[in-house]
Amino acid sequence: MAPVQKPGRSKQDYATPAVLLDAVTRRLGLVSFVFDFAADAQNTAAPAWWTVADNALVRTPAEWAAPCRGGWGWLNPPFATIAPWAARCAATKRHGGRVALLVPAAVGANWFRDHVNGQACVLLLNGRVAFLPDQPRWLYPKDCVLALYAPELEPGYDVWTWKSQLEQVA
C-alpha cells in the first residue's frame, strides 16, 4: 500500500535514488554532477551543494550558472513548491548554466507551462522512481520528468526508458 498523500505536510527532502542518478549521468556522459541546488549532507547528488539555510532561491541566476559552467548541476526540489525552482532553472540556462531538474510530470501546472515547456529538453521518464531506499518496491505514485536546461540543448520532448539503459550496462 502506498503512503497516504499529505499535501503541504509530506516529507520534501527525499534523496534521488542512486540508480536514477547513475542512469542520468550515463545519459549525459558525466562522471558526476558538480553541484546540487537543494540538498544536505545526507541527500546530495554532488560534491558541492546549497542547503535550506543557504537559500538557493535568493541567489541570482548568475550565481546558479557559475558552478555549472563546464559541468551540470542537479536539482530535486521540494515538490510542494516547484514553480520558483523551475523558473530559476530556466534563468540559469539563459546565463550559460546547465541544470537537470527532476520533478513530477505535471504538464497541466502553470509552472510547467511557464518554465519547462519550450525552455527545456524534457525526458519523460518511462519507469517510476523509488525514492525510499529501504522500500525499493514503493514507487512514487506519479510519473516524473527530467527537464534538462542547457544552452546547447534544443527544447523538446522524448520518452526515456531509463531503467532499461541500466539493465543493458549490467
Side-chain angles (χ1 to χ4, degrees):
M1 183 162 115
V4 176
Q5 296 288 314
K6 297 174 256 174
R9 297 180 296 136
S10 61
K11 180 176 168 59
Q12 295 292 305
D13 61 353
Y14 286 112
T16 305
V19 66
L20 177 58
L21 285 170
D22 184 46
V24 175
T25 56
R26 288 174 191 266
R27 170 91 184 213
L28 296 175
L30 308 174
V31 172
S32 67
F33 287 96
V34 296
F35 201 85
D36 193 326
F37 293 99
D40 59 37
Q42 287 72 46
N43 69 12
T44 187
W49 62 89
W50 285 331
T51 66
V52 171
D54 294 321
N55 197 352
L57 291 175
V58 300
R59 297 174 181 266
T60 68
E63 288 177 286
W64 274 53
C68 300
R69 289 202 176 92
W72 278 82
W74 177 259
L75 180 55
N76 174 1
F79 287 179
T81 58
I82 297 172
W85 298 96
R88 188 52 47 93
C89 289
T92 299
K93 174 185 174 180
R94 290 190 294 274
H95 280 80
R98 294 180 191 94
V99 182
L101 172 69
L102 176 66
V103 289
V107 297
N110 290 343
W111 62 261
F112 193 93
R113 178 199 63 212
D114 296 342
H115 309 297
V116 178
N117 186 51
Q119 297 188 52
C121 174
V122 180
L123 300 178
L124 308 164
L125 301 184
N126 176 258
R128 293 265 168 101
V129 178
F131 284 99
L132 302 175
D134 57 334
Q135 298 178 40
R137 293 186 187 263
W138 181 81
L139 302 176
Y140 184 67
K142 298 178 182 178
D143 293 324
C144 289
V145 300
L146 184 66
L148 302 173
Y149 295 87
E152 69 274 12
L153 293 179
E154 290 294 322
Y157 294 87
D158 192 17
V159 176
W160 181 34
T161 307
W162 63 277
K163 289 181 181 180
S164 69
Q165 179 180 349
L166 294 175
E167 292 164 0
Q168 291 171 3
V169 173

